[in-house]
Amino acid sequence: MANTIQNRYSDLDLTFTRKPVSGDIALSTNDQAVIRSVRNLILTNHYERPFHPEIGSNISKMLFEPISPLTANYLQREIEDTINNFEPRVKLQQVVVQVAPDQNYYSAIISFFINNQVQPITMNLTLQRLR
Amino acid sequence: MAANNNIQISDLDFDSIKNNLKTFLRGQNTFKDYDFEGSGLSVLLDVLAYNTHYNAYYLNMVGNEMFLDTAALRSSVVSHAKLLNYTPTSAIAPVSTINLTVTGVTSPSLTLPKFTSFKSEAVDGVNYTFVTNDIKTVSVVAGTATFPNVSIYQGQPVSLSYTVDTSTNLSQTFSLPDVQIDTTTIIVQVQQSITNGTLSTYTLADNVLQLNDTSQVFFLQEGSLGLYEIYFGDGILGQSLIDGNIVNVSYLVTSGTASTGANNFVLLDSIGGTGIVNSLTSASMGGDQESISSIKYQAPKSYAAQGRAVTFEDYITAIQQNKLNFGIDSVSVWGGEDNVPPIYGQVFISIKPAGQYALTDNQKNQLIVDVIKPLSVITVQPTILDPDYTYVKLNVSVVYDQKKTTLTSSQISDSITTALQSYSASQLNTFNSTFSLGDVYSVIQQVNPSIISSSCKVQVQKKIYPTLDVSKQYILNYGVPLNRGVYSSGVNSTPTIQYYKNDIVVTLLNDVYIEEIPFPSSGVQSVSILNPGFNYSSIPVITITGDGTGATAVATVVNGQVTSITVTNPGINYTQAFLTITNASGDTTGSSCSAYLTLQGQYGSLRSYYYDGNNIKTVLNPNIGVIDYYNGIVTLNNFNPTNVNNSLGQLTITANPESTIISSSRNRIVTIDPYDPTSITVSVTAK
């Protein structure tokens, strides 16, 4: 397959959708691939990956702690550590975790630079326990 | 996708497999994020690597279990052993012998039924049940029935019944639901049917060559989970069962070695009178179910022996797998040609039975007749020798730093004693084991980190039970060269013995001691002839020269040859000496005689003494025995004590070994006596 434009990053899209024309499996590329990767890392629990318990974060467990600014602070630290440890493609700018006690969720705003890109990327994550 | 020639397939662990997949992916451009842990591709690689690792591990385990050497599961090992026609040994019920006296019996005779129960005293807090294994009937005399020498076995009797039904159990294999079965106690009886009570007893088949379609035999095998299974013939090799037959099985379920030493039994069952039990021997000769490592060791040897006893290993295997209920700790076998002097045509066997020192004469005879003779080469005569124990006595001194431990000095002393006893139990106490002082030091050092330094004095002991009031020679072979001692610290005996003065039954001396008298070591001991020479017409002159003085010797000539040279004066102060043989004047024909000297030092002697009424040490017999230092042999000649002053009648002769590495060979066992509280003495000093 001849690619006219070379992608810097290209990854398997875990939604496993098909390209409408060729029927090939869809790719997520460049910024999209990195954002997905960051998201995957944050939502992976420790001991979820075989033989590598250290990969991932402890976030889903923290969501069952009493909802408070203190827990929000822990969540922020956890997100920072996870990205710094396992995603070498990004330079983390800031992580802000806001508490919404009445709605029973946290809202995380993560902003970072992808290496060798000037445009910062901001992603919003809503962290809410499901059961 | 570009070709990738670097793909590796030999790795088996998860990380290496995943790395190989990444290497493979480097050859393409479509998916580039394989190296980042958060990527979707990484999740896919995890799945692939995990699956590959899983299969590799599974195949590895399957491969392991396919061979006897590497199999880890008992069922696999047993299955491989089955191909070698080897049935693992079951637990063996310890046996004790008792005399049972029943009083107040009104009938003219009394029967002791099979499985009559007795309760033992507690061993490690547990009372064990022992049962008889056959029926005995005796006549009653004056209301008392006496059953002498009854063997009772530790275990609970179990009886089971199966009805043969080929429609539900095609293979007709009956599993016995207890692991700790003593398979030698299995009795199988087959009843014709529920309406026909005719019983036939089936025996365990051990040789298929003698079977035919009417042989009433059963086969025994170990199934999964360590449970034993019995099955019957197919109508060609052994009589087959038919639907409706009822198989009755009874056996003992034993606790194995846990009940070794049980004694002082009480009759539990009512048998028609008051039972009084007199224990003759405590429970011994028990065994546990054969371990996996033992099966791996024994099965190929059993196969190699092919049911014959030819090589050393054949004998050892045959004896260890005996069907006589003898639990055996260790076996040593050697050919008579290795003896000094050689005894051809004999095989010597020494056996250390479990839980006791030696087999009884009756047990030895049973082993020879029932186990060894049917397998051995016809002209070879087996002889069973008792193990010859050399006991090591340890006198340990230890300095410890009391700031480095919370233990008291007596606790340290106790733990050192315990550690040395377990060293003895695990490393010594078998044939062909070696005691080494270095091992003792390392055992002591590992007891506690607070121990700074230790020293240990090693002595060797022989324990004999002298025949009282009979003059006999006792040869005690320590198996290690002995040090020359001095009075009081050389070879000595404990406890004291009673002895008639001058062997005349008039004056009995109550406390007689034995001590060593070393011979002077500076003279000439003897002269040995190397070549007797020829044509001596008169006795040649023997001259001894060297750095000492005074040694003389004379030769004896018979038919022109020098037959011996006798030392007439050993002389003194020799560290080296030379012998010159000169023809007597006028003897021109005699020639070629040569001989060599041995300096004194090989022998010492033993004397006995006592303290008379005035407490004066008086020698009773100046030469009661000889010590051969080089060969480590102490001989007591014409030894005739009237009593040994302890309850066992056991006399201990202690000597000092020249080397602190003491090996055993043939029928010798080196051990630290676990029953002697003085065998390990520990003195602990705090720094």
Side-chain angles (χ1 to χ4, degrees):
Chain A
M1 188 167 63
N3 272 354
T4 46
I5 306 161
Q6 284 287 316
N7 293 318
R8 265 185 84 205
Y9 304 118
S10 57
D11 189 14
L12 187 71
D13 186 348
L14 285 181
T15 56
F16 292 108
T17 47
R18 288 202 308 183
K19 287 181 185 169
V21 180
S22 65
D24 279 353
I25 194 159
L27 299 181
S28 58
T29 54
N30 297 334
D31 295 4
Q32 189 61 28
V34 177
I35 292 168
R36 284 277 168 85
S37 170
V38 169
R39 219 176 95 105
N40 287 345
L41 278 172
I42 293 170
L43 298 181
T44 302
N45 293 323
H46 289 307
Y47 291 95
E48 200 174 304
R49 301 284 290 267
F51 299 94
H52 285 281
E54 76 282 5
I55 296 175
S57 71
N58 206 19
I59 285 171
S60 61
K61 210 170 185 181
M62 285 182 187
L63 296 178
F64 288 86
E65 295 293 317
I67 195 155
S68 72
L70 193 65
T71 312
N73 192 264
Y74 280 134
L75 280 172
Q76 176 202 328
R77 291 262 299 278
E78 192 73 24
I79 292 169
E80 284 170 6
D81 288 348
T82 308
I83 295 172
N84 288 333
N85 286 339
F86 299 110
E87 188 44 270
R89 289 174 289 187
V90 306
K91 177 139 182 59
L92 193 61
Q93 186 83 357
Q94 196 185 23
V95 176
V96 178
V97 178
Q98 290 166 343
V99 191
D102 295 342
Q103 290 79 22
N104 208 18
Y105 72 83
Y106 299 94
S107 152
I109 303 154
I110 304 162
S111 47
F112 53 84
F113 290 103
I114 296 176
N115 289 348
N116 299 327
Q117 283 192 21
V118 283
Q119 196 66 33
I121 289 175
T122 302
M123 51 186 282
N124 290 306
L125 272 179
T126 301
L127 302 169
Q128 183 174 27
R129 70 183 194 206
L130 292 177
R131 57 182 168 77
Chain B
M1 198 176 282
N4 192 321
N5 296 324
N6 293 324
I7 186 77
Q8 294 283 322
I9 54 165
S10 56
D11 290 304
L12 298 177
D13 71 295
F14 178 83
D15 283 326
S16 308
I17 294 166
K18 194 172 170 188
N19 280 333
N20 291 340
L21 290 170
K22 286 179 185 173
T23 311
F24 175 70
L25 288 173
R26 280 196 189 106
Q28 50 84 48
N29 272 324
T30 316
F31 297 107
K32 292 178 176 173
D33 288 3
Y34 47 81
D35 242 350
F36 303 109
E37 294 300 343
S39 67
L41 200 57
S42 182
V43 173
L44 185 67
L45 293 186
D46 273 350
V47 172
L48 290 170
Y50 175 62
N51 187 41
T52 309
H53 174 74
Y54 190 105
N55 278 318
Y57 177 81
Y58 179 73
L59 276 173
N60 190 30
M61 295 314 286
V62 169
N64 269 346
E65 297 302 320
M66 283 174 72
F67 301 96
L68 181 63
D69 290 335
T70 48
L73 297 174
R74 187 178 176 93
S75 54
S76 309
V77 174
V78 169
S79 174
H80 290 304
K82 203 181 287 176
L83 291 179
L84 300 174
N85 191 26
Y86 182 82
T87 308
T89 317
S90 71
I92 298 170
V95 61
S96 176
T97 315
I98 58 165
N99 283 344
L100 176 65
T101 311
V102 186
T103 56
V105 185
T106 51
S107 55
S109 69
L110 186 66
T111 298
L112 183 64
K114 189 177 175 177
F115 294 148
T116 305
S117 308
F118 297 82
K119 189 177 83 174
S120 77
E121 65 178 359
V123 177
D124 293 334
V126 182
N127 296 97
Y128 290 95
T129 303
F130 282 67
V131 294
T132 55
N133 205 23
D134 48 15
I135 302 169
K136 272 195 178 181
T137 304
V138 294
S139 330
V140 176
V141 179
T144 303
T146 309
F147 298 92
N149 294 319
V150 180
S151 294
I152 52 173
Y153 298 84
Q154 192 278 317
Q156 289 287 355
V158 173
S159 297
L160 299 168
S161 264
Y162 301 95
T163 304
V164 177
D165 181 1
T166 41
S167 63
T168 54
N169 182 354
L170 270 180
S171 62
Q172 288 303 296
T173 301
F174 305 103
S175 182
L176 309 178
D178 297 286
V179 173
Q180 286 280 68
I181 294 175
D182 180 345
T183 54
T184 57
T185 62
I186 294 177
I187 305 251
V188 176
Q189 289 186 314
V190 177
Q191 186 179 332
Q192 278 305 304
S193 68
I194 200 157
T195 50
N196 181 350
T198 312
L199 281 175
S200 318
T201 301
Y202 280 56
T203 53
L204 177 65
D206 55 358
N207 187 352
V208 288
L209 296 176
Q210 293 162 354
L211 300 184
N212 58 32
D213 57 343
T214 56
S215 306
Q216 294 191 323
V217 291
F218 68 92
F219 300 89
L220 182 72
Q221 65 183 18
E222 188 180 320
S224 58
L225 304 170
L227 298 175
Y228 289 92
E229 293 168 346
I230 59 171
Y231 59 101
F232 293 84
D234 57 358
I236 299 164
L237 286 176
Q239 188 169 324
S240 67
L241 301 185
I242 51 170
D243 282 356
N245 283 165
I246 297 167
V247 180
N248 297 312
V249 188
S250 74
Y251 51 81
L252 281 185
V253 177
T254 176
S255 307
T257 50
S259 62
T260 299
N263 209 340
N264 297 334
F265 299 93
V266 179
L267 177 64
L268 286 182
D269 292 348
S270 162
I271 57 168
T274 311
I276 302 158
V277 181
N278 177 22
S279 305
L280 300 177
T281 58
S282 58
S284 62
M285 311 263 279
D288 294 320
Q289 192 180 36
E290 188 167 8
S291 66
I292 291 176
S293 58
S294 172
I295 298 171
K296 286 183 180 179
Y297 180 77
Q298 296 285 357
K301 290 175 179 56
S302 163
Y303 177 68
Q306 293 282 320
R308 303 281 180 269
V310 180
T311 66
F312 300 131
E313 292 286 358
D314 297 349
Y315 276 91
I316 292 172
T317 312
I319 291 165
Q320 282 185 333
Q321 292 169 8
N322 69 79
K323 302 264 188 291
L324 295 174
N325 245 357
F326 295 170
I328 284 166
D329 276 351
S330 181
V331 182
S332 173
V333 176
W334 67 99
E337 70 277 9
D338 291 341
N339 273 12
V340 184
I343 304 169
Y344 294 102
Q346 284 203 20
V347 166
F348 289 90
I349 302 154
S350 194
I351 296 170
K352 158 95 177 69
Q356 61 188 56
Y357 289 110
L359 295 172
T360 62
D361 287 345
N362 191 22
Q363 288 168 335
K364 285 183 205 167
N365 205 22
Q366 260 185 299
L367 261 184
I368 289 181
V369 173
D370 295 341
V371 176
I372 301 168
K373 273 285 186 185
L375 307 180
S376 69
V377 176
I378 293 170
T379 53
V380 173
Q381 187 65 36
T383 307
I384 298 185
L385 297 180
D386 284 338
D388 180 12
Y389 291 87
T390 297
Y391 297 95
V392 177
K393 183 176 192 289
L394 299 175
N395 197 340
V396 179
S397 305
V398 162
V399 179
Y400 80 106
D401 186 345
Q402 53 185 346
K403 290 176 195 146
K404 287 187 179 167
T405 180
T406 54
L407 299 180
T408 63
S409 58
S410 67
Q411 283 170 327
I412 287 188
S413 162
D414 288 347
S415 24
I416 289 173
T417 308
T418 313
L420 289 173
Q421 275 165 351
S422 80
Y423 157 74
S424 168
S426 62
Q427 303 290 316
L428 307 176
N429 216 13
T430 62
F431 297 104
N432 298 318
S433 58
T434 300
F435 168 88
S436 150
L437 185 58
D439 291 347
V440 169
Y441 282 133
S442 82
V443 168
I444 294 172
Q445 217 62 46
Q446 282 165 15
V447 166
N448 196 293
S450 68
I451 293 172
I452 301 166
S453 66
S454 53
S455 74
C456 180
K457 185 182 176 199
V458 180
Q459 290 184 301
V460 283
Q461 296 183 321
K462 283 281 175 185
K463 300 187 178 184
I464 56 169
Y465 297 88
T467 315
L468 302 178
D469 291 323
V470 175
S471 178
K472 271 177 77 172
Q473 186 187 48
Y474 296 89
I475 298 172
L476 314 177
N477 187 346
Y478 287 83
V480 60
L482 300 177
N483 262 340
R484 297 166 63 81
V486 289
Y487 301 116
S488 79
S489 74
V491 175
N492 61 69
S493 69
T494 48
T496 57
I497 46 181
Q498 295 179 10
Y499 220 100
Y500 278 111
K501 192 169 182 180
N502 303 329
D503 283 333
I504 303 165
V505 189
V506 178
T507 317
L508 181 66
L509 303 166
N510 278 327
D511 286 310
V512 172
Y513 303 82
I514 294 174
E515 69 176 3
E516 174 182 349
I517 325 166
F519 284 165
S521 60
S522 62
V524 174
Q525 173 82 39
S526 62
V527 180
S528 307
I529 306 280
L530 277 174
N531 181 354
F534 51 87
N535 285 346
Y536 283 97
S537 59
S538 54
I539 295 169
V541 178
I542 309 295
T543 318
I544 297 172
T545 53
D547 52 0
T549 52
T552 55
V554 291
T556 308
V557 173
V558 177
N559 295 334
Q561 292 191 319
V562 178
T563 52
S564 70
I565 297 174
T566 313
V567 177
T568 46
N569 181 353
I572 55 166
N573 294 338
Y574 285 97
T575 58
Q576 51 181 334
F578 308 98
L579 186 84
T580 319
I581 302 167
T582 320
N583 286 11
S585 62
D587 181 359
T588 52
T589 52
S591 76
S592 297
C593 175
S594 61
Y596 67 93
L597 289 166
T598 306
L599 290 177
Q600 285 178 335
Q602 182 176 356
Y603 297 101
S605 75
L606 288 171
R607 71 177 176 191
S608 58
Y609 66 93
Y610 63 98
Y611 291 94
D612 71 3
N614 299 322
N615 221 11
I616 293 169
K617 185 172 171 178
T618 312
V619 172
L620 174 65
N621 181 349
N623 191 9
I624 200 168
V626 178
I627 307 166
D628 180 344
Y629 296 110
Y630 290 177
N631 295 314
I633 296 172
V634 170
T635 311
L636 294 171
N637 293 316
N638 303 324
F639 189 59
N640 182 14
T642 298
N643 200 2
V644 179
N645 291 330
N646 67 10
S647 56
L648 297 169
Q650 184 192 55
L651 183 68
T652 304
I653 311 280
T654 308
N656 299 307
E658 195 176 83
S659 160
T660 50
I661 296 174
I662 303 166
S663 309
S664 61
S665 63
R666 296 182 193 160
N667 66 329
R668 192 164 300 122
I669 292 179
V670 178
T671 188
I672 298 171
D673 191 350
Y675 304 111
D676 180 0
T678 64
S679 62
I680 301 172
T681 51
V682 182
S683 70
V684 178
T685 317
K687 191 186 110 178

